[in-house]
Amino acid sequence: MPFLFRDAIGRALCPQGSVVCIGAFDGLHLGHRALIDRAVARARALGVPAVAVGFEPLPRELFTHGVKPPRLMLVADKIAGLRDLGVDGIGLLRFNRALAAMAAADFVRETLVARLAAREVWVGPGFRFGHARGGDLALLQALGAPAGFSAQAIAPVLQGGERISSTRIRAALAAGDFPTVAQLLGRPYAIGGRVVRGRQLGRTLGYPTANLRFAGKTPALRGIYATRVHGVSAAPWPSVSSFGTRPTVDGVEPLLEAHLFDFDGDLYGRRIEVEFVAHLRDEEKFPDLATLTAQMQRDDAQARAILLQYEPQRVFA
């Protein structure tokens, strides 16, 4: 298991040196993966740990008042994804006012040199860091030379002639363009978590759901979707899911509710992943539960028809 740290300033973690890559890593898309793969390969060549350094919360979440900007993944999934990509250490630095005010040169001295003994630092195209985004690759290189590390940026990773970015993925999710999202991520878009108890309303309406919370964050998509649930059986289980605040019953917190077709079992406490296949409609407020239930029946039929293309033997009539 990789070691995890949250503080920019503290005891030395890699006295033998390290190779560091820095980024937000929201979504762990193909651009992020190329950066991490480069750092891991260089770390293996040098015989030192590979360390991925990011920030939690994301910087844009700290500086936005009111509704926070949407994000692609939660912390647990980010840590699991970074681990699977082979890093030896993960820094999710607490991004607060103090860290935001830290000068770029101080970040280099305190974090990259004192904590991580960086021998190489790898960043993505257009990388900026430090107070008021005052640091860039050129500054990293200038400060790194006397401190004993080199700094380089990977080449942009393109798809369709345009650089892959989390911003581009959020736009594709908002448009319901899941094929493009999968191309940018290198995998279908999914949200994972442990099933929690809800208000049991779906069960009373004949549509029991497995519910996942989004940890107080703003999701990058909202509406009703044809989905597949992983972690229930050997094959993904076809389903229809609602992701939103449930305005018909005056909900507030975003909740992902997956109704697994013809499933009979207890999923509370189990970790699952909900893979999004197609957008069916936007979330809306209905005048009463009877109208809501009628629409849920139509959603069910539409999702089944779409999912027949994926696993016809698993989409029950």
Side-chain angles (χ1 to χ4, degrees):
M1 286 290 292
F3 64 86
L4 177 67
F5 64 101
R6 298 297 315 277
D7 297 313
I9 300 174
R11 65 179 178 85
L13 298 172
C14 301
Q16 72 276 43
S18 69
V19 174
V20 180
C21 57
I22 309 174
F25 301 124
D26 188 25
L28 288 177
H29 56 61
L30 290 178
H32 294 143
R33 288 168 181 258
L35 174 61
I36 295 162
D37 287 346
R38 179 68 57 82
V40 169
R42 290 299 303 147
R44 300 295 177 264
L46 295 174
V48 298
V51 181
V53 174
F55 307 93
E56 184 60 42
L58 300 177
R60 66 179 183 275
E61 291 178 315
L62 178 68
F63 292 116
T64 301
H65 301 289
V67 178
K68 300 302 182 183
R71 62 187 294 163
L72 300 175
M73 70 191 328
L74 297 177
V75 173
D77 286 335
K78 182 183 294 188
I79 292 173
L82 289 168
R83 178 197 63 212
D84 292 344
L85 290 171
V87 301
D88 305 294
I90 301 171
L92 293 182
L93 304 184
R94 293 183 179 87
F95 196 81
N96 50 28
R97 296 293 174 181
L99 185 56
M102 180 182 283
D106 292 338
F107 178 79
V108 170
R109 182 181 65 255
E110 298 288 354
T111 305
L112 299 182
V113 177
R115 292 223 81 182
L116 300 176
R119 292 171 62 178
E120 295 184 8
V121 176
W122 289 87
V123 298
F127 173 74
R128 308 288 299 196
F129 72 107
H131 177 62
R133 293 171 54 85
D136 58 10
L137 177 60
L139 183 63
L140 263 183
Q141 292 170 333
L143 296 175
F149 71 83
S150 64
Q152 299 181 63
I154 64 165
V157 179
L158 306 179
Q159 190 276 333
E162 184 180 349
R163 185 169 73 89
I164 294 175
S165 69
S166 298
T167 298
R168 191 176 168 195
I169 293 169
R170 293 184 197 101
L173 284 174
D177 186 357
F178 293 105
T180 293
V181 172
Q183 289 179 336
L184 300 174
L185 288 174
R187 66 193 186 282
Y189 183 69
I191 291 175
R194 293 199 179 276
V195 178
V196 300
R197 291 190 180 275
R199 295 169 57 181
Q200 308 286 312
L201 178 61
R203 187 173 299 277
T204 65
L205 299 178
Y207 286 90
T209 59
N211 303 325
L212 302 181
R213 292 197 173 98
F214 207 60
K217 305 296 184 181
T218 302
L221 71 177
R222 180 171 295 192
I224 315 302
Y225 299 89
T227 53
R228 306 196 306 168
V229 175
H230 300 255
V232 173
S233 64
W237 200 286
S239 55
V240 61
S241 296
S242 169
F243 200 179
T245 57
R246 308 164 312 287
T248 302
V249 294
D250 300 321
V252 176
E253 177 193 9
L255 192 68
L256 174 53
E257 302 171 289
H259 170 64
L260 286 68
F261 297 147
D262 309 292
F263 178 81
D264 183 18
D266 184 358
L267 295 178
Y268 291 121
R270 181 179 297 192
R271 180 171 178 79
I272 64 172
E273 275 197 341
V274 180
E275 173 195 336
F276 293 82
V277 176
H279 177 257
L280 304 183
R281 62 177 176 86
D282 293 338
E283 186 179 46
E284 57 184 300
K285 183 171 184 176
F286 294 95
D288 50 52
L289 292 180
T291 308
L292 170 62
T293 303
Q295 180 60 58
M296 292 168 66
Q297 293 169 348
R298 292 190 288 271
D299 297 336
D300 182 301
Q302 186 180 0
R304 288 175 187 258
I306 290 171
L307 292 169
L308 277 170
Q309 306 170 49
Y310 291 82
E311 292 183 275
Q313 74 277 14
R314 294 297 303 277
V315 182
F316 308 105

